[in-house]
């Protein structure tokens, strides 16, 4: 029995930015008694179906965005006589859907790190169960990935997870409900040894692919101390100490290494943490700004963020500490007005944000927003190719509406157009050139422009274009830009690199 692992995608770019970690973690979870899994990442190239034979097992990991393509693959694989197993956040939320539409023999809910071996052994004896509960695997049991199976010259960044779960509870995000609010941290040594392996293979850019790299804030510590909850205080302090230990280790790695992570804005008020990040060369962070108005933040349960001049200064603090911010903004909140769009673009530029993404509010399953929207939509008669809007991920790409929740004053098309306008403005050559002053040499500035344009092509046009012709054109451009970008990130392998002591 051969084992296949598939990351579905309806668009392939030939090269990709970040290594899809879950594929290589499940490869590590595959017992050596089976041959090495055959890994297909469709963001690189479409799956070669002919490699799947009767009796093989095909593991397909899906999130809401690629569920439909995943189901297509599931059906094709089952027709070829393979066992079809679904996992990932979306399958965890909708196991019956994966069975009905994806022809799944079995669904794995939660983390696959431990339970995957049992799934394979059941398939090998022709007796897969309908469901396996992977649960939430403790930080110390999270597996390092099988990076030895990575294809050469395909990915720009390596990826390593250091912590899973997030203590916050943003209404548009499913992470805290699926991965839990209790941070599950891996031990610094385990993380470092994986990073060293990636550097040995020539990756000097590494994404610390965490839900939230800053799981303990100064506010959490002082509130535990105010409550005189010494047990909780010790627990939080120990999580924090481990973060510092990890960053000390990163600082000892080769000087050409650069890290990127995802973090909440509160980290900017923690001078010691920012210093440690700078020393560790964590030079980029995705920060969820979401909205620049207090009403907007309240609407998404993110009141811990700031607005106005305080927001600008908080974001600038990252920049002043050598950390480039990829700001993430949401449009289409009920509190948004036509003037919110350009005000957001102006704030992003003023705050010195290096990259930005502007996404349209979409109720994703597993979130608080989705639950209340689904309830509100219960009597809605709208059907697109027979599918209700509350199952929007099942609508074919070219027929998908771009905005789902009716806005009190703007039409869906107006929100889409204005959002696209902000992408165009923020990534205009003039502003990209201005922002490129964050690097020194002319070569680096040109590289910055190339990467900015690639980012826009990959995430703006393919995400919010209305028709498939535009999506395809955009994907072609992205493919064309991606090749030279890959060369910018690659480094000579360091096969003899030792782990820091
Ligand atoms: S959006 Fe970020 S901060 Fe909010 S719950 Fe999700 S991971 Fe946590």
């Amino acid at each position: 029995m051969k084992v296949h692992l598939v990351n579905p995608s309806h668009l392939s770019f030939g090269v990709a930015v970040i290594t899809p970690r879950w594929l290589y973690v499940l490869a590590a979870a595959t017992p050596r008694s089976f041959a090495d899994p055959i890994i297909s990442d469709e963001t690189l190239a479409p799956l070669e179906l002919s490699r799947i034979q009767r009796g093989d097992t095909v593991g397909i990991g899906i999130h809401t965005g690629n569920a439909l393509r995943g189901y297509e693959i599931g059906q094709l694989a089952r027709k070829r006589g393979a066992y079809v197993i679904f996992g990932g956040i979306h399958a965890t939320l909708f196991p019956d859907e994966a069975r009905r539409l994806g022809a799944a023999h079995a669904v794995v809910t939660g983390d696959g790190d431990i339970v995957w071996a049992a799934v394979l052994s059941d398939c090998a004896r022709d007796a897969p169960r309908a469901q396996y509960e992977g649960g939430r695997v403790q930080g110390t049991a999270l597996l390092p990935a099988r990076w030895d199976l990575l294809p050469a010259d395909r990915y720009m960044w390596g990826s390593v997870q250091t912590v899973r779960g997030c203590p916050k509870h943003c209404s548009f995000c499913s992470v805290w409900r699926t991965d839990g609010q209790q941070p599950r941290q891996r031990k610094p040594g385990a993380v470092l040894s994986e990073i060293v392996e990636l550097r040995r293979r020539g990756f000097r850019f590494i994404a610390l692919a965490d839900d939230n790299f800053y799981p303990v804030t100064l506010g959490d510590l002082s509130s535990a101390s105010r409550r005189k909850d010494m047990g909780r205080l010790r627990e939080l302090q120990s999580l924090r100490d481990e973060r510092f230990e990890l960053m000390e280790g990163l600082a000892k790695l080769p000087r050409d290494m650069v890290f990127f992570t995802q973090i909440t804005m509160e980290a900017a008020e923690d001078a010691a943490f920012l210093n440690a990040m700078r020393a560790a060369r964590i030079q980029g962070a995705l920060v969820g700004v979401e909205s620049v108005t207090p009403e907007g933040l309240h609407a998404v349960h993110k009141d811990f963020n700031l607005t106005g001049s305080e927001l600008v200064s908080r974001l600038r603090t990252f920049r002043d500490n050598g950390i480039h911010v990829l700001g993430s903004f949401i449009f289409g909140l009920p509190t948004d007005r036509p003037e919110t769009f350009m005000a957001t673009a102006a704030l992003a530029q003023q705050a010195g944000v290096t990259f930005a993404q502007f996404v349209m509010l979409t109720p994703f399953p597993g979130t608080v927003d989705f639950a209340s929207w689904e309830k509100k939509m219960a009597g809605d008669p709208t059907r697109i190719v027979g599918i209700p809007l509350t199952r929007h991920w099942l609508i074919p790409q070219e027929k998908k509406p771009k905005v789902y929740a009716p806005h009190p004053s703007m039409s869906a098309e107006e929100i889409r157009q204005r959002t696209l306008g902000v992408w165009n403005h923020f990534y205009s050559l003039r502003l990209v050139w201005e922002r490129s002053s964050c690097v020194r040499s002319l070569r680096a500035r040109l590289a910055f422009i190339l990467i900015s344009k690639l980012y826009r092509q990959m995430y703006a046009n393919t995400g919010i274009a209305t028709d498939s012709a535009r999506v395809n054109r955009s994907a072609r451009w992205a493919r064309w830009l991606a090749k030279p970008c890959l060369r910018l990130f690659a480094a000579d392998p360091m096969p003899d690199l030792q782990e820091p002591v």
Side-chain angles (χ1 to χ4, degrees), residues 56-334:
D56 288 356
T57 294
V58 180
I60 305 167
I62 50 170
H63 51 78
T64 301
N66 66 1
L68 193 57
R69 173 65 186 151
Y71 295 156
E72 238 171 67
I73 295 171
Q75 292 193 21
L76 293 168
R78 189 155 181 164
K79 271 198 201 117
R80 294 185 68 81
Y83 294 106
V84 173
I85 317 294
F86 274 86
I89 289 185
H90 192 85
T92 298
L93 294 167
F94 296 98
D96 290 337
E97 185 182 279
R99 275 187 277 271
R100 193 164 41 87
L101 301 177
H105 289 86
V107 173
V108 177
T109 60
D111 298 332
D113 303 46
I114 294 174
V115 82
W116 182 238
V119 177
L120 291 178
S121 102
D122 288 351
C123 289
R125 57 187 186 85
D126 192 21
R129 301 204 308 265
Q131 190 142 326
Y132 295 82
E133 314 289 339
R136 289 178 188 153
V137 171
Q138 279 316 301
T140 44
L142 292 170
L143 291 176
R146 283 278 310 271
W147 297 123
D148 57 307
L149 300 178
L150 259 188
D153 304 328
R154 285 286 178 272
Y155 296 99
M156 300 179 205
W157 291 56
S159 60
V160 172
Q161 188 161 41
T162 77
V163 58
R164 203 173 281 179
C166 174
K168 305 295 183 193
H169 56 271
C170 303
S171 66
F172 56 88
C173 175
S174 63
V175 157
W176 59 280
R177 301 178 99 202
T178 51
D179 282 354
Q181 288 184 284
Q182 184 60 36
R184 289 172 284 145
Q185 276 186 184
R186 292 176 73 201
K187 291 290 170 201
V191 174
L192 288 168
S193 88
E194 220 183 314
I195 293 175
V196 164
E197 190 188 341
L198 282 162
R199 183 63 193 90
R200 284 182 190 138
R201 296 178 183 280
F203 285 95
R204 72 181 187 94
F205 287 85
I206 307 285
L208 304 173
D210 299 326
D211 298 325
N212 177 2
F213 188 76
Y214 185 61
V216 179
T217 67
L218 291 180
D220 296 334
L221 290 169
S222 59
S223 106
S225 149
R226 252 196 328 273
R227 292 194 315 272
K228 301 206 174 357
D229 184 345
M230 299 326 273
R232 178 71 181 145
L233 188 60
R234 268 195 302 278
E235 193 186 323
L236 291 173
Q237 192 59 52
S238 127
L239 285 171
R240 180 174 165 86
D241 291 347
E242 274 185 7
R243 296 276 87 184
F244 280 90
E245 196 190 322
L246 171 64
M247 290 191 278
E248 273 164 33
L250 295 178
K252 292 181 192 151
L253 292 171
R255 303 300 305 164
D256 67 352
M257 295 200 75
V258 174
F259 301 92
F260 176 91
T261 193
Q262 187 155 294
I263 206 163
T264 53
M265 209 184 280
E266 297 147 306
E269 65 192 12
D270 190 335
F273 203 84
L274 288 182
N275 274 338
M277 282 177 77
R278 181 202 275 263
R281 293 182 308 283
I282 301 176
Q283 292 178 2
L286 188 150
V287 177
V289 181
E290 324 309 355
S291 171
V292 299
T293 68
E295 306 79 45
L297 290 176
H298 188 65
V300 294
H301 303 193
K302 206 157 183 171
D303 297 278
F304 59 89
N305 268 6
L306 297 170
T307 55
S309 57
E310 280 181 306
L311 169 60
V312 170
S313 111
R314 188 65 72 87
L315 290 172
R316 279 207 160 269
T317 309
F318 283 109
R319 173 91 183 249
D320 297 344
N321 280 274
I323 301 161
H324 295 285
V325 170
L326 191 172
S328 179
F329 300 85
I330 299 179
F331 286 133
L333 300 171

Side-chain angles (χ1 to χ4, degrees), residues 351-371:
V353 162
T354 311
F355 291 94
Q357 61 184 28
F358 308 96
V359 297
M360 290 194 296
L361 181 65
T362 305
F364 278 112
T367 65
V368 168
D369 284 350
F370 183 86

Side-chain angles (χ1 to χ4, degrees), residues 6-17 20 40-47 63 65-70 72-73 155 397-398 400 402 454-465 467-479 482:
V6 187
N7 185 34
S9 172
H10 66 278
L11 286 178
S12 305
F13 295 100
V15 297
V17 181
S40 303
D41 176 8
E42 289 206 306
T43 67
L44 297 178
L47 171 72
H63 51 78
N66 66 1
L68 193 57
R69 173 65 186 151
E72 238 171 67
I73 295 171
Y155 296 99
Q397 184 68 20
E398 62 284 0
K400 257 190 196 143
K402 298 298 170 190
L454 173 70
Y455 189 81
R456 188 201 166 286
Q457 283 307 118
M458 273 185 165
Y459 297 103
N461 276 6
T462 56
I464 61 177
D467 58 78
S468 52
R470 269 195 211 151
V471 170
N472 289 337
R473 200 163 50 238
S474 210
R476 266 202 307 279
W477 265 100
R479 256 176 238 129

